[in-house]
Every structure is written in structure tokens, then in C-alpha cells.
Amino acid sequence: MNERYEVTSQSNRMGYRLDGPLLQRKHSVEMVSETVTFGTIQVPNEGKPIILMADRQTTGGYPKIAQVIAVDLPILAQTKPGEQVVFRDISFEEAQRLYLQHELGMKQCEKVMMLKMGG
């Protein structure tokens, strides 16, 4: 999934609707609703992905095809309609490494701020 998708004007805090290459199911099956989280990517019948955002529902019945990694969620949340997103497949281990790297960077920023504030 290395295609470019544009965030549409129908996007909001519940979900970002994307416009780009349509994704088609190999098999048409009824799905049972299951838990979804911030960053879950679902594909409804028309084939246009939706990224679930902060105010999403708690369950969903569309196929889940991917999950946006935790460190990218704040960046994604700043994306505006008309801007593009590109997905890249990474391993669970790389997602963990990026998360830990981000946390380390945040702790270093906190230390610098404390030093500058005289704390």
C-alpha cells in the first residue's frame, strides 16, 4: 500500500475519508462489528479507505486493512482536506523502535526545558 491518497472535505475528528486508488475486496462477506482504535484504517464497500480518528466509534464492521503507528497519529491529526497521505508497510519491531525513539526525544526536550526554566 504505497499509493497516495488525498484527505477529502468529508473528513472530521471521527474519521479521515480518503480519495485515491480504490481498494477492492477479493471476497464479499458479511462482517461482525469489532473493536477499532485511533488510527485503524477501514475500507467500506465503495473501496475508499477511512482512517479512524480521535472521536471515532468504538466498534466497526468494515474490513480493517492497517493501523497507523502511534508516532504518526499526531502528525496525521494535523493533516487538512486536500493534503495527501502515503502509507508505508513497516514491521511491528520498527513501529516499536520509532515509538521508543520518539519517547526518548520527548524526555530530552523536557530536560532542556527544565534547564532553561531553572528547574
Side-chain angles (χ1 to χ4, degrees), residues 47-115:
K48 293 184 176 188
I50 301 170
I51 306 172
L52 301 181
M53 299 301 286
D55 291 344
R56 78 215 165 271
Q57 69 277 12
T58 56
T59 61
Y62 296 131
K64 297 187 290 188
I65 62 164
Q67 179 70 36
V68 176
I69 63 173
V71 296
D72 285 345
L73 290 173
I75 298 165
L76 179 64
Q78 298 301 313
T79 305
K80 298 175 184 75
E83 294 182 342
Q84 293 187 340
V85 295
V86 178
F87 299 101
R88 184 171 60 94
D89 188 25
I90 66 169
S91 67
F92 182 73
E93 291 76 19
E94 184 176 357
Q96 285 182 315
R97 182 187 61 74
L98 291 168
Y99 179 79
L100 293 173
Q101 180 181 339
H102 177 265
E103 287 297 305
L104 180 61
M106 293 299 287
K107 286 183 193 242
Q108 289 173 341
C109 285
E110 183 180 345
K111 287 179 185 178
V112 168
M113 288 174 49
M114 293 298 284
L115 287 172

Side-chain angles (χ1 to χ4, degrees), residues 6 19 23 34 96 100:
E6 184 175 306
D19 193 19
L23 301 174
E34 56 187 15
Q96 285 182 315
L100 293 173

Side-chain angles (χ1 to χ4, degrees), residues 4-12 15-20 76-86:
R4 289 187 180 277
Y5 287 87
E6 184 175 306
V7 177
T8 71
S9 61
Q10 292 90 24
S11 300
N12 56 37
Y16 281 8
R17 294 185 173 272
L18 305 179
D19 193 19
L76 179 64
Q78 298 301 313
T79 305
K80 298 175 184 75
E83 294 182 342
Q84 293 187 340
V85 295
V86 178

Side-chain angles (χ1 to χ4, degrees), residues 24-37:
Q24 296 182 355
R25 297 183 193 179
K26 289 183 180 179
H27 306 285
S28 181
V29 295
E30 284 291 316
M31 298 194 61
V32 175
S33 289
E34 56 187 15
T35 304
V36 292
T37 63

